[in-house]
Amino acid sequence: MGDMVFNENTAKNEKKYILLYERFKKLISEGSLRPGDKLPSVRACADSFSLSRTTVETAYSLLSAEGYIVAKSQSGYYVSSIDFSLLSSPEAQKMKTDKSEKAIKYDLVSSSGDKDSFNFALWRRYIKSALRQDERLLSYGEAQGEYDLREAICSYVNKQRGVICSPDQIVIAAGTQSLIAILCAITKEKRNVTFLGPQFAQGKAVFEDHGKSVGSARYDALSQIPCGSTIYASPSHIDVWGSVLKMDKRAELLGFAKDNDCLIIEDDYDSEFRYYQRLVPSLQSLDSEGRVVYIGTFSKLLIPSIRISFMVLPTALSDEYKKRGRYYNQTASKTEQIALCQYLRDGHLSYQIRKQQKQYATKSKAVCARAEQMFGDRLIFERCEAGYLIKIRMKTDLSSQELTEKALKRGIKIKPAGRNGEYSQLLISVTGFDIENCDDMLKTLGSALLT
């Protein structure tokens, strides 16, 4: 990697961080850096190329945003598990051609954003503004997260979700998994973790990697949860349809945690997308015993590549975190934190949420209406409580898994959702495709499922 020299001449037409970004991207794409390989630390890379640490951090942030590398808490940056070298190899091109009929045409499962749902030009202005704060960017970011962003988050969650906290209780990281890793370190005495409702697979993996015993239970069967457990719950999305946990059940869950010395992790990842009922207060806002850790993320509200998540710790855990916090490096981009802080202060997130709510509601209505015209009762499309999700019911002897496999062969990804009586049920998300392609998407799906 030392064959590249950064000087005034090479940087006349391109920023130095772009040159460094392109260099690592080339090494990864060519296979010189393989999945799992560790990149030089920010300090080592800066010293090697005679660059500032800020330049290296910015280049690494770009690589991370595009999926080339991943940040691991307390460890550094690693090449992601995606083998980018295959993308340019002759063998890969042949494989791509041979399997072109199996290519995914419509991914109705992923949580990717709609290209029209986010104002990229506006976000670029905030990023550019953040990059102009030269003095601030010369230092490492705060391990707990930038204080002014924590202040802005504190104000936001209090107004939107009734969360009661101070900036000192907030910890910021690049994604929920990083936050879970920190929680594992400061709750070592709690060996059991129980997921209520659908399991968060990536979160489960982190718990297991830290030696936790992971199980599951239903919201109506709390007695199955061992005493002293950590309970992982998403009260605003308790099943695949996005249903919301009612107030009496929330009170019951809090009471159980108090009586059985349990800690609750409240993952509130999509509470903003409630269209058919008023928002139910967060568990944290109802907690008087300090037993709830509130987790939120901006990836769903903005775009997935902006990896900034946060958690609100109860006072006791906040004190425990401060004892060990200095051992954890900040995984979220300092530049993006600065940009997001001002974005929040200027009120753009509230506007962004309203825009997405309207957009996804309009799109899901249009899909359901068009599906009714095309399929009648052969395929029944129904909007879910989470407004970006649609339930599909089909009267058939085939299982939902078998229907999913049929659709995949036609290049369309959908999610199996079990059976209800004589109907197999499927689930799709409307966030990741253009409404202009609605008819083609429905024809492709109908052809796969009905033939």
Side-chain angles (χ1 to χ4, degrees):
M1 291 185 293
D3 59 338
M4 192 167 192
V5 178
F6 291 85
N7 53 43
E8 292 182 1
N9 292 328
T10 60
K12 277 184 178 179
N13 298 318
E14 289 193 78
K15 298 290 187 182
K16 292 181 181 180
Y17 73 87
I18 293 293
L19 293 174
L20 185 63
Y21 155 79
E22 292 289 352
R23 175 61 175 164
F24 278 111
K25 180 179 175 181
K26 186 172 184 289
L27 290 171
I28 294 171
S29 298
E30 290 178 344
S32 299
L33 287 173
R34 302 290 296 168
D37 286 352
K38 185 175 182 180
L39 270 66
S41 69
V42 172
R43 176 182 293 178
C45 188
D47 291 343
S48 177
F49 292 121
S50 299
L51 298 171
S52 71
R53 294 180 187 175
T54 301
T55 298
V56 177
E57 286 181 338
T58 304
Y60 280 8
S61 293
L62 286 174
L63 290 165
S64 179
E66 294 190 5
Y68 286 94
I69 64 175
V70 293
K72 294 186 178 181
S73 179
Q74 288 188 290
S75 183
Y77 290 92
Y78 293 80
V79 179
S80 74
S81 58
I82 301 172
D83 192 348
F84 287 96
S85 66
L86 291 177
L87 299 181
S88 56
S89 67
E91 294 82 2
Q93 295 303 321
K94 185 177 185 303
M95 289 170 61
K96 185 176 180 181
T97 301
D98 293 343
K99 296 183 178 181
S100 59
E101 293 183 358
K102 297 182 180 180
I104 300 301
K105 187 176 183 181
Y106 294 109
D107 184 349
L108 306 179
V109 173
S110 73
S111 56
S112 59
D114 188 303
K115 64 181 177 63
D116 296 322
S117 69
F118 186 66
N119 188 336
F120 286 93
L122 177 64
W123 180 248
R124 276 192 290 270
R125 290 203 294 271
Y126 280 96
I127 289 290
K128 289 178 180 178
S129 175
L131 289 171
R132 286 195 291 268
Q133 299 188 35
D134 298 354
E135 292 297 323
R136 186 172 179 181
L137 292 176
L138 288 173
S139 62
Y140 286 112
E142 295 182 48
Q144 194 170 339
E146 298 303 295
Y147 188 82
D148 53 355
L149 176 57
R150 285 187 276 135
E151 284 185 317
I153 290 174
C154 191
S155 175
Y156 170 76
V157 294
N158 179 259
K159 180 180 179 182
Q160 296 293 327
R161 302 296 292 125
V163 173
I164 303 168
C165 65
S166 70
D168 289 337
Q169 293 174 259
I170 294 176
V171 179
I172 294 169
T176 302
Q177 286 176 285
S178 296
L179 295 173
I180 291 175
I182 294 172
L183 278 174
C184 287
I186 61 177
T187 59
K188 290 183 177 180
E189 75 284 356
K190 293 192 177 298
R191 307 303 302 171
N192 296 306
V193 177
T194 301
F195 280 82
L196 290 179
Q199 286 195 359
F200 172 34
Q202 294 90 336
K204 177 184 176 185
V206 177
F207 284 122
E208 290 177 336
D209 288 346
H210 282 79
K212 307 286 188 180
S213 176
V214 180
S216 61
R218 301 192 314 271
Y219 281 92
D220 59 356
L222 299 180
S223 60
Q224 297 177 0
I225 301 174
C227 239
S229 293
T230 295
I231 301 172
Y232 198 101
S234 298
S236 295
H237 201 128
I238 62 174
D239 56 30
V240 294
W241 317 118
S243 303
V244 177
L245 188 66
K246 306 304 181 186
M247 280 294 292
D248 59 337
K249 292 296 183 181
R250 293 182 181 230
E252 182 181 338
L253 177 57
L254 288 170
F256 177 87
K258 177 183 176 182
D259 295 341
N260 293 273
D261 190 27
C262 293
L263 176 71
I264 301 173
I265 300 175
E266 178 185 11
D267 189 342
D268 207 32
Y269 68 95
D270 73 344
S271 63
E272 290 84 359
F273 297 102
R274 305 291 110 196
Y275 299 154
Y276 314 128
Q277 58 181 315
R278 293 186 63 184
L279 283 177
V280 177
S282 65
L283 269 183
Q284 197 272 0
S285 68
L286 305 172
D287 175 32
S288 60
E289 301 291 328
R291 295 190 175 276
V292 176
V293 175
Y294 179 92
I295 290 182
T297 181
F298 293 100
S299 298
K300 190 77 173 178
L301 302 178
L302 301 176
I303 49 176
S305 59
I306 299 177
R307 301 295 294 161
I308 298 181
S309 299
F310 64 94
M311 63 180 172
V312 179
L313 296 172
T315 302
L317 279 184
S318 182
D319 292 342
E320 184 64 26
Y321 169 81
K322 287 177 174 57
K323 296 176 185 177
R324 300 188 57 80
R326 65 183 183 275
Y327 299 115
Y328 291 88
N329 292 324
Q330 177 54 247
T331 54
S333 162
K334 186 174 184 179
T335 303
E336 288 189 346
Q337 289 187 64
I338 295 170
L340 179 58
C341 175
Q342 196 58 48
Y343 186 91
L344 286 170
R345 286 176 171 176
D346 290 345
H348 291 298
L349 184 59
S350 297
Y351 172 79
Q352 170 72 13
I353 292 171
R354 292 194 300 270
K355 177 182 177 181
Q356 285 185 327
Q357 287 177 333
K358 182 178 179 180
Q359 186 173 21
Y360 294 152
T362 299
K363 186 185 286 189
S364 60
K365 284 180 182 178
V367 170
C368 289
R370 188 69 180 118
E372 185 176 8
Q373 293 173 351
M374 294 174 66
F375 307 124
D377 60 1
R378 292 181 299 161
L379 287 177
I380 303 171
F381 282 58
E382 300 173 351
R383 297 169 67 198
C384 298
E385 287 191 54
Y388 59 93
L389 298 175
I390 292 177
K391 176 198 298 186
I392 303 174
R393 294 191 294 129
M394 179 179 176
K395 188 180 292 187
T396 176
D397 292 332
L398 295 177
S399 68
S400 60
Q401 185 60 50
E402 289 171 324
L403 293 175
T404 300
E405 292 169 358
K406 287 184 66 178
L408 189 60
K409 290 178 180 178
R410 298 293 184 92
I412 189 163
K413 288 182 70 174
I414 56 179
K415 186 174 183 178
R419 195 167 188 86
N420 185 5
E422 56 188 347
Y423 289 94
S424 280
Q425 302 179 121
L426 305 163
L427 187 69
I428 65 172
S429 168
V430 301
T431 62
F433 77 96
D434 295 332
I435 193 62
E436 292 80 4
N437 298 325
C438 179
D439 275 15
D440 183 68
M441 181 275 288
L442 288 174
K443 288 176 182 176
T444 304
L445 183 59
S447 175
L449 299 181
L450 297 172
T451 58

